[in-house]
Amino acid sequence: MLSIITAIFVTITTPQLPLSSATTDDALAILGNPAGLGIGRTFNCYYLYNFSNYDDLNQRQRFWDNQTFLFQINTLGFAYVDLKDYRIGWGSKISDAFAFGITYRKLNEKHYWDAGLLSRPLNYLSLGAMLSNIGQATPRQLLFGIGVRPLTNRLTLTFDVFSDNWRYPTFGVELEPINGVEIRGKFSRNQIFSIQAGVNLHKVGIGAVHNSSFNTGSSYHHWAGYLRFDIERRRSLIAETKKFLEMRLSGIIADQKPGFSIFGSNVNYTTYEILNTFKKAKEDSQITGIVLKLENVRMNFAIAQEIKSALNECKKNKKKIIVYSPYFDNLTYYLASGADQIISHPLGEVDIPGLVAKSMFIKDALDKIGIEVEYERVGKYKSAPEMLTEDTLSLANREVINAILDDLYQQLTKTISQERNFSEQEITDKINRGFFLAKNAKQERLIDNLCYEDELDSLCKNIFAHSKPIPMKKYLRQLSHQYDWQAPPKIVIIYANGDIAIGESSTDPLTGNITCGANTIVCAIRQARKDKKVKAIVLRVNSPGGDGFASDLIWREIQITKKTKPVIVSMGPLAASGGYYIAMNGDKIFALPATITGSIGVFGLKYVTKELYHKLGINIETIKRGEHADAFSPDRKFSPDEKMILKKQVEDFYAQFIEKVAQARNLSVDYVDSVGQGRIWTGNQAKERFLIDSLGGLLNAVEFAKEKTKVKEVKIDFLPRPKRDFFNLALKMIVPILKYKFYE
């Protein structure tokens, strides 16, 4: 009976919303179950006003007693209920499925503590429990709640009951029949009723609550109104204002930002950040188009292809694409070629002279200083040592470079001619002329318009009628309200960037070059495999190869992981030699048409510096035990026996290499040998030779992983994670310009 009287008193003295201890997880959780604060809803607040008059109960209250303010900042909650009731709450996630929370209440000069638990083991089931009045003589109450979503997150059924009054449970329903219209109601066997109706307008909500009771001898009814503000965008009754996305790209575009280096590269955006922004804009009904501004952008052909593909997907989804740049080169023009309008500065340039490949040979320079290179290789196209041992291109190397250039040039000309409605002969003629001032480029139909950047806004207003601009950073900061009770499953993207080596991944402190450490990648794959929330792994490879043993360690970890989870490979600009070695084992391999891959071959070498030492007046005497103890010493050449040993080692490794490729790709060893021999291929050529499965980029690999695991929505996670060491944090605090992260 005591709990009934308490419930009635609370209901008639404060404007109560129909809450459940199992479902409430925003600022209102401080009135219900504080564990709901542990969900961490960034920032939201409520203002409630009680319109009722309590003359019949002698409860006429002052103005401030009729108002309630509720705030949530991440996992903290604050409440002013009336002049005598203040609350502070805190919640925290114990795991993905459990949250804990506590509330301190000051009521009528007395102090109370409440504690709650929230469990969401399934996306359609939520369980809540709260113990109130901890540490007080006032009888403690234990409240249990259950929330069930039988069909969709728009319909929730709730059940709450007090432990000392289990005969009078409360039943509730929460319904959103159309976007932005919320209806909630609850009733109990002791004839206490509550109903709420409101509308959401993206970040603002407004509504009313009606409470009534018929079990006190004389019935009562009272009304309250509420206003909610939220940082997160909720489903809305009205469509949001149309916008067009403004995005500026400059500097280097790469898969990863390097760690700290003195002369580190200027990577402002990663490939995934750009691709994901375009994907989000494509699916966002409020975005009508994209204005892409390019300024001194440096990227590889394959990355340009990947970004262009994402832009084309936006265009297919009826988004207008405008590209502006004062200067277009081969790749930025290729990227822009599919836009609805290409715009340049009145004094700008369009320089599209075609593709070139250059090879450097330093044999003569090494001879002059007295350094000789000895090597053994398997594969007539394995040309890496030739820059040290030859003074010009070998016939085999020349053959490969010409084949690569032919394919890339065809990709360039074919795409531009199709996008800009030229014949291939027309675009070939323009490339052969190469260099155009902007006004001439417009006459040649290479671009569509000329304007200064400050004139671009007015031009875009005409193109994007009734749409407002939104900068990329502001757009990406927008948060959407998470309605589901469980976070979606994860797909992990693991980056294997740089030369493959034994040990941990690192960044060269001078150049900013990244080394792909086998230990780091193996640990990342193992971590993803053991995480039950991870449904699939996407291995993004951008590596020229490196240490064979290190590559095999990564290959082995993928082999183990494939037995329990799909491993999908996305090749970036380069996945050759050891880069192909770690990629070949994937369940499916995606490469871009311009990806450079293959190089299935092996070589080993050493530098012989005996003549250099002689020129410098350095004499070395060797005392050894074991005939070959100094075989790899730089002060002498290999003996004939040692050459045979090295030759046997590289041949054995090559035999294992092609055997593993044959097994992974379901090909014969002889066929792999025929397309191996150290030869590199473009993604186009590799697909024709069955070395990869499909042409596509990182987003294609993610989509395939979703299909493979039969999930629709996923959370993308990234490994390896940035190190959070003291030195890195100190650099960020002391020198804000040093924004790069160290990677494990």
Side-chain angles (χ1 to χ4, degrees), residues 248 293 324 345-346 451-461:
R248 182 185 296 272
K293 300 176 183 178
Y324 177 86
H345 189 282
C451 73
Y452 291 95
E453 189 170 346
D454 59 275
E455 298 174 319
L456 188 61
D457 290 341
S458 59
L459 188 62
C460 288
K461 286 179 182 178

mmCIF file of all heavy atoms in Angstrom, residues 248 293 324 345-346 451-461:
data_model
loop_
_atom_site.group_PDB
_atom_site.id
_atom_site.type_symbol
_atom_site.label_atom_id
_atom_site.label_comp_id
_atom_site.label_asym_id
_atom_site.label_seq_id
_atom_site.Cartn_x
_atom_site.Cartn_y
_atom_site.Cartn_z
ATOM 1 N N ARG A 248 36.522 20.512 -49.452
ATOM 2 C CA ARG A 248 37.796 20.980 -49.998
ATOM 3 C C ARG A 248 38.868 19.924 -49.727
ATOM 4 O O ARG A 248 39.090 19.525 -48.584
ATOM 5 C CB ARG A 248 38.206 22.303 -49.364
ATOM 6 C CG ARG A 248 39.519 22.876 -49.940
ATOM 7 C CD ARG A 248 39.950 24.118 -49.185
ATOM 8 N NE ARG A 248 38.987 25.185 -49.344
ATOM 9 C CZ ARG A 248 38.995 26.064 -50.339
ATOM 10 N NH1 ARG A 248 39.928 25.984 -51.279
ATOM 11 N NH2 ARG A 248 38.098 27.014 -50.402
ATOM 12 N N LYS A 293 36.065 21.087 -54.050
ATOM 13 C CA LYS A 293 37.125 22.029 -54.378
ATOM 14 C C LYS A 293 38.469 21.320 -54.231
ATOM 15 O O LYS A 293 38.767 20.757 -53.179
ATOM 16 C CB LYS A 293 37.062 23.250 -53.462
ATOM 17 C CG LYS A 293 35.742 24.017 -53.556
ATOM 18 C CD LYS A 293 35.698 25.164 -52.558
ATOM 19 C CE LYS A 293 34.364 25.893 -52.597
ATOM 20 N NZ LYS A 293 34.288 26.993 -51.603
ATOM 21 N N TYR A 324 35.553 22.235 -58.614
ATOM 22 C CA TYR A 324 36.231 23.520 -58.864
ATOM 23 C C TYR A 324 37.707 23.376 -58.511
ATOM 24 O O TYR A 324 38.068 22.839 -57.452
ATOM 25 C CB TYR A 324 35.616 24.625 -58.006
ATOM 26 C CG TYR A 324 36.313 25.968 -58.163
ATOM 27 C CD1 TYR A 324 35.952 26.843 -59.178
ATOM 28 C CD2 TYR A 324 37.343 26.340 -57.305
ATOM 29 C CE1 TYR A 324 36.586 28.067 -59.332
ATOM 30 C CE2 TYR A 324 37.991 27.555 -57.452
ATOM 31 C CZ TYR A 324 37.614 28.421 -58.464
ATOM 32 O OH TYR A 324 38.248 29.630 -58.616
ATOM 33 N N HIS A 345 39.406 28.573 -62.333
ATOM 34 C CA HIS A 345 39.732 29.992 -62.159
ATOM 35 C C HIS A 345 39.961 30.625 -63.536
ATOM 36 O O HIS A 345 40.468 29.966 -64.455
ATOM 37 C CB HIS A 345 40.992 30.083 -61.302
ATOM 38 C CG HIS A 345 41.342 31.449 -60.851
ATOM 39 N ND1 HIS A 345 41.959 32.379 -61.678
ATOM 40 C CD2 HIS A 345 41.174 32.066 -59.648
ATOM 41 C CE1 HIS A 345 42.161 33.492 -60.992
ATOM 42 N NE2 HIS A 345 41.697 33.332 -59.763
ATOM 43 N N PRO A 346 39.603 31.901 -63.729
ATOM 44 C CA PRO A 346 39.821 32.539 -65.042
ATOM 45 C C PRO A 346 41.269 32.480 -65.528
ATOM 46 O O PRO A 346 41.521 32.451 -66.735
ATOM 47 C CB PRO A 346 39.379 33.988 -64.804
ATOM 48 C CG PRO A 346 38.377 33.890 -63.707
ATOM 49 C CD PRO A 346 38.859 32.792 -62.805
ATOM 50 N N CYS A 451 35.249 30.993 -63.081
ATOM 51 C CA CYS A 451 34.856 31.987 -62.078
ATOM 52 C C CYS A 451 35.919 32.043 -60.992
ATOM 53 O O CYS A 451 36.677 31.089 -60.792
ATOM 54 C CB CYS A 451 33.484 31.668 -61.480
ATOM 55 S SG CYS A 451 33.443 30.285 -60.342
ATOM 56 N N TYR A 452 35.959 33.167 -60.295
ATOM 57 C CA TYR A 452 36.776 33.263 -59.094
ATOM 58 C C TYR A 452 36.080 32.485 -57.981
ATOM 59 O O TYR A 452 34.861 32.281 -58.007
ATOM 60 C CB TYR A 452 36.963 34.724 -58.693
ATOM 61 C CG TYR A 452 37.838 35.504 -59.652
ATOM 62 C CD1 TYR A 452 37.266 36.257 -60.684
ATOM 63 C CD2 TYR A 452 39.219 35.486 -59.525
ATOM 64 C CE1 TYR A 452 38.069 36.964 -61.577
ATOM 65 C CE2 TYR A 452 40.029 36.199 -60.412
ATOM 66 C CZ TYR A 452 39.440 36.933 -61.432
ATOM 67 O OH TYR A 452 40.235 37.621 -62.306
ATOM 68 N N GLU A 453 36.852 32.066 -57.000
ATOM 69 C CA GLU A 453 36.250 31.232 -55.946
ATOM 70 C C GLU A 453 35.174 31.988 -55.177
ATOM 71 O O GLU A 453 34.190 31.402 -54.748
ATOM 72 C CB GLU A 453 37.332 30.710 -54.990
ATOM 73 C CG GLU A 453 36.781 29.672 -54.013
ATOM 74 C CD GLU A 453 37.860 28.962 -53.224
ATOM 75 O OE1 GLU A 453 39.051 29.061 -53.580
ATOM 76 O OE2 GLU A 453 37.512 28.298 -52.226
ATOM 77 N N ASP A 454 35.351 33.310 -55.010
ATOM 78 C CA ASP A 454 34.329 34.074 -54.283
ATOM 79 C C ASP A 454 33.034 34.199 -55.088
ATOM 80 O O ASP A 454 31.989 34.546 -54.540
ATOM 81 C CB ASP A 454 34.858 35.472 -53.924
ATOM 82 C CG ASP A 454 35.267 36.264 -55.154
ATOM 83 O OD1 ASP A 454 36.421 36.086 -55.613
ATOM 84 O OD2 ASP A 454 34.444 37.030 -55.680
ATOM 85 N N GLU A 455 33.102 33.924 -56.408
ATOM 86 C CA GLU A 455 31.892 33.932 -57.230
ATOM 87 C C GLU A 455 31.198 32.571 -57.267
ATOM 88 O O GLU A 455 30.091 32.439 -57.781
ATOM 89 C CB GLU A 455 32.240 34.345 -58.667
ATOM 90 C CG GLU A 455 32.813 35.751 -58.778
ATOM 91 C CD GLU A 455 33.272 36.067 -60.190
ATOM 92 O OE1 GLU A 455 33.879 35.177 -60.832
ATOM 93 O OE2 GLU A 455 33.019 37.204 -60.657
ATOM 94 N N LEU A 456 31.886 31.575 -56.726
ATOM 95 C CA LEU A 456 31.364 30.214 -56.814
ATOM 96 C C LEU A 456 30.070 30.059 -56.015
ATOM 97 O O LEU A 456 29.164 29.324 -56.424
ATOM 98 C CB LEU A 456 32.427 29.225 -56.306
ATOM 99 C CG LEU A 456 32.131 27.739 -56.503
ATOM 100 C CD1 LEU A 456 31.989 27.404 -57.981
ATOM 101 C CD2 LEU A 456 33.255 26.894 -55.882
ATOM 102 N N ASP A 457 29.962 30.767 -54.873
ATOM 103 C CA ASP A 457 28.758 30.643 -54.040
ATOM 104 C C ASP A 457 27.497 31.035 -54.800
ATOM 105 O O ASP A 457 26.495 30.320 -54.767
ATOM 106 C CB ASP A 457 28.891 31.501 -52.779
ATOM 107 C CG ASP A 457 29.909 30.940 -51.813
ATOM 108 O OD1 ASP A 457 30.236 29.739 -51.949
ATOM 109 O OD2 ASP A 457 30.376 31.675 -50.928
ATOM 110 N N SER A 458 27.557 32.179 -55.469
ATOM 111 C CA SER A 458 26.367 32.624 -56.200
ATOM 112 C C SER A 458 26.059 31.690 -57.361
ATOM 113 O O SER A 458 24.898 31.438 -57.681
ATOM 114 C CB SER A 458 26.559 34.060 -56.704
ATOM 115 O OG SER A 458 27.688 34.136 -57.554
ATOM 116 N N LEU A 459 27.109 31.139 -57.968
ATOM 117 C CA LEU A 459 26.903 30.182 -59.053
ATOM 118 C C LEU A 459 26.229 28.914 -58.536
ATOM 119 O O LEU A 459 25.308 28.379 -59.155
ATOM 120 C CB LEU A 459 28.249 29.840 -59.703
ATOM 121 C CG LEU A 459 28.208 28.990 -60.973
ATOM 122 C CD1 LEU A 459 27.463 29.705 -62.081
ATOM 123 C CD2 LEU A 459 29.638 28.667 -61.424
ATOM 124 N N CYS A 460 26.661 28.459 -57.364
ATOM 125 C CA CYS A 460 26.083 27.242 -56.779
ATOM 126 C C CYS A 460 24.637 27.465 -56.343
ATOM 127 O O CYS A 460 23.826 26.529 -56.377
ATOM 128 C CB CYS A 460 26.926 26.781 -55.593
ATOM 129 S SG CYS A 460 28.524 26.087 -56.070
ATOM 130 N N LYS A 461 24.311 28.673 -55.926
ATOM 131 C CA LYS A 461 22.927 28.959 -55.529
ATOM 132 C C LYS A 461 21.975 28.789 -56.711
ATOM 133 O O LYS A 461 20.826 28.377 -56.535
ATOM 134 C CB LYS A 461 22.827 30.371 -54.957
ATOM 135 C CG LYS A 461 23.415 30.508 -53.562
ATOM 136 C CD LYS A 461 23.315 31.937 -53.045
ATOM 137 C CE LYS A 461 23.949 32.053 -51.659
ATOM 138 N NZ LYS A 461 23.907 33.446 -51.148
#
